[in-house]
Amino acid sequence: MAKILIVDDAAFMRMMLKNILGSNGHEVVGEAADGVQSVEKYEQLKPDLVTMDIVMPQMDGIAATREIMQSYPDAKIVMCTAVGQQAKVLEAMKAGAKGYIIKPFQAPKVVEEIGKVLGS
Amino acid sequence: MSSDTDVSQYLNVFLEETKEHLQMFTQALIDLEEADAERATEALNEAFRAAHTIKGMAASMDFRNMEQLCHSTEDLMDELRSGSRSVTPEIIDLLMVCSTKLEELTSSIEETGSDDIDVSSVILELRSFMAEEKEEEKEKEVQKEKITVQKEYDKIEKEVREGRKTYEIKVSLDKSCGFRAARSFLALKNLAEIGEIVKTVPSQDDIEEEKFEFEFEVILATDANEDAVKKALAAVADIEKVDISEEKEEVEAEVAKKKKEVLKPKGVKRKEKGKEREDVLKSVRISIDKLDTVVNFVGELVISKGRLIQISKEYDLEELSSTMAVVERTISDLQYEVTQMKMIPVENVFNRFPKLVRDLYRAQGKEVEFITEGKEIELDRTVLDEIVDPVVHLLRNSVDHGIELPEERERKGKSRKGVIKLVALRETGHITISVEDDGKGLDPDKLREKAVKKELKSAEEASKLTDEDAFKLIFASGFSTAEKTTEISGRGVGMGVVKTKVEALGGLVDIRSEMDMGTKIILKLPLTTAIIQALLVSVSDKIYAIPITNVNEIISLSRDDIETIHEAKVTMLRGSILPLVMLESIFGLSANPNNGNGNHRDKFVVVIVERSEGRIGLVVDAALEEQEIVVKPPDERFKGVTGVGGFTILGDGSVIPILDVSTLTLA
């Protein structure tokens, strides 16, 4: 069971993801609705893994990933992305993200990805 | 509850957020038309984000028309953002058409539950604006690759000379893999950590641009062995197969072959957008009713577990004990999982409040900053549903009676704008939800006066109330301090209902207030209602369970510590009077308390419990142990019996009452 921080500006998405993670033995220790919050929450909660939406107000998920990776090089960040964002996802991987999951979320895919990233 | 409860729950949040984002989208378009360059960029980003968010949500809800429309809108806006296309009035008009269409889709979803509206004409129009693929770029790439081939050749030669092993690794991605470029990038990154990537086929640039199907090859020079290579790739999802072979010689031949390939004009594969959509969603929605049934079964299991543990202890067989350990752990895990399934973040209800508060204060000409904290905290769905009304009441009270009019606040030297805070906090075993305002606070004297006028208390009783107890008067039904009732709140039953509801859930209400500083009302709630932690106590050989949420501390007293005031038993605890309840007399375990066996002894165990009215001490024979119990609602025969909130079944099969401390009478 891992402690997970969910970052997404849509409460709806956080809810869906949380249900998936929660019912697969992970503990969602916190949620953030934008990049700035995500950095703060990361510092505060030191989660095992972060699910990070890309398109968000204030600071987008890629900038937030860079910021977190800078202070915590071991951070495990999984990007949440929608179809049509190939370039952004790649950019996020270059920024240090360890994986990505695609909306609409499919529970087995999410679980697999998170398992792989946690295991690495 | 019907089986589609869960869907409708998602649907409401979906509609709410979609409308919100749609509004943002439209506003951003309006701004875009009028704004200067800097604001225009911002507006464009806002509109893009809004469309993007709606797309993601629509896809999750399986509203394909809406998703596709958003997707095309987003594509066009992406071009505007990147500057490859400039914003023209025609484009804004078209985007406005999209906005209207999205509104139609939203209404249709709200009314009929489906987004069955034709969007193809709008999508076609959007597409007609899109940029064409540029041919000359391909040519440039071929040139670039010629140069890299030479570099690769040099590199491999160097590695071989230095004696490192080179592996040829063929990676096949899963067919369902979305974003092959990003996935491959991760694989390459992991490989680069254990060695040097000499070359890839196709080139790394092509991989990054997703110019390949599902396979790519890597030549890796490394000191690591084959297992390390496999391990590096195992950490990446969506990899179907990995073939590793050690590259022997023929480097030159290989390079030559590749050269030929590179020089041959390459058919750039079109990206297969939408491929990932073909996968069927692999989750199901379950109604709360069904979950509750599962929770009940797990409850039965928990009870049997207790019994089994006892049996296994009695027989003390090694095999039995070790099997029991596994069963015990599995049942605990199962119980945890099931409980988690019913937990949802409080924000599901918190998010409705800002608008409610805003409507209220604006209607009254007040100014309020509304802050919510701890929205991510999770609570049992059943508990959460029950506390919506109480919280609405508290918020209304804060706006109506707490926060003063701006002028009045100024006179008091406060800022014109009042603050109302709604905070959820997770504490051990329970959560608290508090509503706090910086308004006028409660006037204890006024409350005392009112209590006398309403004949709730005698003048003497009222004068003896501490300020804290006076505040609690507002929970009495028929009590209202507002000079006139407002349109929406303050009918005098509200606070009483809040208290009743919260206590029915096994929680309690606390209140703090200071004149002109504000009021804070705290609801202490159990995390879940089905399976709770309880303290088992014995009274005259009978066992009772006390919910741990209520238990404050356990003390032991000697006979001399107990005093009698007006026929009521009390004790002094750290300087204040603690009313005592002799449980055995309440439950008629011994008709005459003076003959009760408890009174023959010199030592008493007192469990101090907290309730909305303050703390009381329950005198028991012994505090036994703390354990998880499954709450069963009270039997018909016991409905309305004060002091009993339900029953539970212990491991040995015995049925014991769960005390409801809020209704225990001070006898």
Side-chain angles (χ1 to χ4, degrees):
Chain A
M1 191 182 83
K3 290 180 182 156
I4 296 178
L5 169 67
I6 298 183
V7 186
D8 199 309
D9 58 333
F12 170 84
M13 280 298 171
R14 293 199 299 270
M15 194 165 140
M16 282 217 146
L17 197 50
K18 184 160 196 167
N19 287 349
I20 294 176
L21 294 174
S23 53
N24 281 283
H26 294 296
E27 185 192 359
V28 176
V29 290
E31 293 178 26
D34 61 52
V36 178
Q37 267 187 30
S38 76
V39 177
E40 282 166 13
K41 288 261 160 106
Y42 191 92
E43 306 238 318
Q44 189 189 328
L45 302 166
K46 306 266 161 41
D48 300 327
L49 188 137
V50 183
T51 67
M52 179 81 77
D53 186 25
I54 294 183
V55 182
M56 288 187 295
Q58 307 271 12
M59 183 196 277
D60 74 11
I62 295 175
T65 299
R66 279 200 192 98
E67 199 157 324
I68 292 174
M69 292 305 293
Q70 201 169 24
S71 318
Y72 305 93
D74 293 334
K76 289 174 174 165
I77 301 177
V78 170
M79 307 309 288
C80 303
T81 159
V83 286
Q85 280 191 295
Q86 282 85 338
K88 284 276 171 198
V89 174
L90 189 61
E91 197 185 334
M93 298 305 117
K94 289 181 178 173
K98 301 278 188 294
Y100 61 90
I101 46 183
I102 302 172
K103 297 171 190 174
F105 297 131
Q106 298 167 28
K109 282 257 171 197
V110 172
V111 173
E112 185 199 354
E113 186 78 39
I114 281 171
K116 291 260 182 188
V117 171
L118 285 170
S120 71
Chain B
M1 270 182 251
S2 68
S3 64
D4 58 1
T5 315
D6 228 8
V7 183
S8 73
Q9 197 224 336
Y10 276 126
L11 191 64
N12 286 337
V13 182
F14 167 78
L15 285 169
E16 216 170 284
E17 279 206 291
T18 302
K19 284 181 198 163
E20 220 172 87
H21 282 97
L22 201 47
Q23 217 172 356
M24 272 163 51
F25 180 73
T26 318
Q27 186 57 48
L29 291 180
I30 297 168
D31 291 356
L32 184 60
E33 195 158 36
E34 295 165 353
D36 53 68
E38 196 183 322
R39 172 71 192 120
T41 316
E42 207 180 296
L44 201 51
N45 284 333
E46 272 167 26
F48 175 84
R49 276 203 305 267
H52 181 78
T53 305
I54 299 175
K55 178 180 84 171
M57 293 193 289
S60 305
M61 294 292 288
D62 217 17
F63 294 131
R64 294 300 181 217
N65 287 336
M66 188 180 240
E67 182 200 346
Q68 277 166 22
L69 178 55
C70 287
H71 189 64
S72 301
T73 311
E74 198 187 310
D75 279 350
L76 176 58
M77 277 193 294
D78 214 16
E79 284 186 6
L80 300 176
R81 287 206 311 172
S82 70
S84 68
R85 179 173 301 281
S86 51
V87 182
T88 62
E90 293 79 54
I91 288 187
I92 292 190
D93 285 347
L94 177 57
L95 290 173
M96 283 294 189
V97 172
C98 296
S99 155
T100 314
K101 204 75 183 175
L102 285 171
E103 267 167 34
E104 282 170 30
L105 288 163
T106 314
S107 308
S108 159
I109 291 168
E110 191 160 25
E111 280 151 26
T112 67
S114 114
D115 68 338
D116 200 9
I117 287 180
D118 182 45
V119 292
S120 58
S121 61
V122 188
I123 291 178
L124 266 176
E125 245 185 289
L126 282 166
R127 292 223 174 113
S128 71
F129 269 90
M130 307 278 188
E132 301 297 317
E133 196 92 13
K134 283 164 196 147
E135 279 298 316
E136 71 242 37
E137 276 180 15
K138 274 191 217 163
E139 196 52 42
K140 270 189 217 156
E141 268 158 36
V142 171
Q143 289 304 321
K144 213 167 105 193
E145 227 158 308
K146 279 185 196 166
I147 303 164
T148 44
V149 165
Q150 189 56 45
K151 280 194 201 152
E152 281 160 10
Y153 173 77
D154 296 344
K155 245 202 245 173
I156 297 178
E157 230 189 0
K158 185 170 155 258
E159 293 296 343
V160 173
R161 267 203 310 273
E162 283 173 6
R164 291 172 90 177
K165 268 180 279 186
T166 48
Y167 291 106
E168 188 179 290
I169 305 160
K170 196 164 152 192
V171 181
S172 312
L173 295 178
D174 202 279
K175 297 288 179 292
S176 70
C177 171
F179 306 168
R180 303 185 300 278
R183 198 55 86 196
S184 312
F185 176 84
L186 283 173
L188 292 175
K189 199 172 94 176
N190 284 0
L191 289 174
E193 275 168 17
I194 58 165
E196 190 182 353
I197 292 173
V198 179
K199 70 180 265 185
T200 65
V201 180
S203 74
Q204 291 206 38
D205 285 351
D206 276 359
I207 289 179
E208 287 189 10
E209 283 172 40
E210 221 161 75
K211 291 175 179 165
F212 68 109
E213 283 280 76
F214 291 99
E215 286 178 7
F216 61 90
E217 285 173 33
V218 186
I219 294 180
L220 181 77
T222 175
D223 293 326
N225 60 17
E226 213 175 299
D227 280 347
V229 175
K230 278 186 185 149
K231 208 175 143 214
L233 291 172
V236 181
D238 283 341
I239 291 183
E240 193 185 68
K241 209 171 93 199
V242 179
D243 288 322
I244 305 175
S245 55
E246 203 170 330
E247 183 93 326
K248 295 291 177 202
E249 274 319 311
E250 293 146 24
V251 171
E252 231 161 313
E254 173 71 13
V255 173
K257 195 178 102 201
K258 289 300 165 205
K259 249 181 198 161
K260 222 170 94 195
E261 260 174 41
V262 168
L263 294 173
K264 187 166 69 185
K266 205 164 34 165
V268 179
K269 298 280 177 192
R270 292 289 300 155
K271 287 181 266 184
E272 284 171 64
K273 280 189 184 178
K275 180 121 197 167
E276 43 281 87
R277 279 178 228 161
E278 286 166 18
D279 278 320
V280 187
L281 275 174
K282 281 179 187 151
S283 63
V284 287
R285 299 200 172 99
I286 304 167
S287 77
I288 290 281
D289 271 1
K290 280 194 178 154
L291 266 184
D292 278 340
T293 314
V294 177
V295 170
N296 280 336
F297 283 137
V298 173
E300 299 295 333
L301 269 180
V302 170
I303 293 167
S304 308
K305 179 183 87 175
R307 179 74 188 123
L308 278 173
I309 291 171
Q310 275 188 350
I311 295 172
S312 120
K313 272 185 193 149
E314 271 167 40
Y315 289 88
D316 194 26
L317 297 171
E318 203 186 315
E319 262 179 292
L320 181 61
S321 310
S322 63
T323 313
M324 261 320 291
V326 178
V327 172
E328 198 184 336
R329 202 174 55 235
T330 313
I331 292 178
S332 299
D333 287 351
L334 180 64
Q335 187 195 331
Y336 173 82
E337 293 298 336
V338 164
T339 320
Q340 282 302 304
M341 280 181 206
K342 281 189 71 194
M343 299 289 254
I344 56 172
V346 293
E347 71 180 337
N348 286 300
V349 300
F350 274 26
N351 283 350
R352 301 182 217 163
F353 297 142
K355 192 176 174 299
L356 174 110
V357 171
R358 189 171 171 278
D359 290 350
L360 281 170
Y361 71 75
R362 285 176 71 102
Q364 298 176 38
K366 292 179 177 177
E367 290 173 27
V368 174
E369 185 187 352
F370 180 56
I371 303 170
T372 53
E373 285 171 16
K375 289 203 280 192
E376 72 282 359
I377 291 190
E378 291 190 324
L379 197 55
D380 188 301
R381 173 72 201 269
T382 323
V383 179
L384 197 57
D385 284 346
E386 287 295 316
I387 60 142
V388 175
D389 290 348
V391 172
V392 167
H393 246 294
L394 297 180
L395 289 173
R396 281 179 173 166
N397 276 337
S398 281
V399 177
D400 292 353
H401 313 313
I403 302 293
E404 310 90 333
L405 287 163
E407 300 73 37
E408 194 182 337
R409 289 181 65 89
E410 259 180 358
R411 275 202 301 280
K412 287 180 179 172
K414 297 181 180 180
S415 63
R416 287 176 65 88
K417 209 177 202 180
V419 176
I420 297 178
K421 261 174 137 179
L422 172 63
V423 181
L425 256 184
R426 172 82 198 253
E427 285 168 33
T428 24
H430 64 269
I431 86 154
T432 62
I433 291 180
S434 61
V435 174
E436 185 177 6
D437 65 60
D438 69 342
K440 57 171 158 295
L442 295 169
D443 182 343
D445 286 333
K446 242 183 180 171
L447 292 168
R448 288 188 189 99
E449 225 172 89
K450 196 106 185 177
V452 177
K453 214 190 285 173
K454 297 250 172 187
E455 295 176 354
L456 294 165
K457 296 269 177 211
S458 70
E460 198 205 340
E461 280 174 330
S463 67
K464 278 186 185 163
L465 292 172
T466 61
D467 284 357
E468 271 174 27
D469 288 337
F471 296 150
K472 284 172 181 162
L473 285 169
I474 64 167
F475 295 123
S477 61
F479 197 94
S480 171
T481 58
E483 274 145 35
K484 61 174 198 284
T485 55
T486 63
E487 197 183 320
I488 316 133
S489 75
R491 298 220 158 71
V493 287
M495 291 307 278
V497 173
V498 169
K499 180 169 174 274
T500 318
K501 271 216 165 178
V502 170
E503 284 176 351
L505 288 167
L508 55 100
V509 184
D510 198 7
I511 180 164
R512 280 166 216 164
S513 186
E514 204 171 323
M515 292 271 282
D516 287 331
M517 299 295 287
T519 305
K520 182 176 186 178
I521 294 180
I522 303 149
L523 314 181
K524 194 171 166 188
L525 300 159
L527 288 172
T528 173
T529 48
I531 300 170
I532 60 168
Q533 281 291 118
L535 175 74
L536 301 186
V537 296
S538 71
V539 181
S540 300
D541 297 331
K542 295 259 192 304
I543 297 174
Y544 293 86
I546 307 173
I548 215 78
T549 345
N550 298 119
V551 177
N552 211 296
E553 65 177 301
I554 303 169
I555 57 170
S556 78
L557 293 179
S558 67
R559 177 177 287 280
D560 299 341
D561 295 327
I562 300 178
E563 293 168 46
T564 307
I565 304 176
H566 299 305
E567 294 181 13
K569 294 217 169 7
V570 299
T571 188
M572 293 302 289
L573 180 73
R574 292 187 282 271
S576 58
I577 296 174
L578 179 75
L580 294 177
V581 174
M582 313 300 281
L583 275 190
E584 54 184 11
S585 59
I586 287 219
F587 293 114
L589 295 172
S590 57
N592 182 351
N594 293 324
N595 294 337
N597 57 9
N599 282 350
H600 287 307
R601 295 169 315 155
D602 273 344
K603 286 283 174 197
F604 298 88
V605 174
V606 178
V607 179
I608 301 179
V609 295
E610 214 178 328
R611 45 188 213 168
S612 303
E613 290 83 2
R615 307 200 302 172
I616 55 169
L618 307 179
V619 181
V620 300
D621 292 349
L624 303 173
E625 59 174 328
E626 199 182 311
Q627 91 173 43
E628 255 162 11
I629 58 165
V630 181
V631 180
K632 302 272 172 200
D635 193 276
E636 274 308 316
R637 289 168 296 170
F638 290 93
K639 277 238 168 89
V641 173
T642 55
V644 176
F647 287 88
T648 190
I649 304 165
L650 292 186
D652 61 3
S654 60
V655 178
I656 64 161
I658 302 168
L659 295 187
D660 174 8
V661 297
S662 66
T663 59
L664 270 180
T665 41
L666 290 168

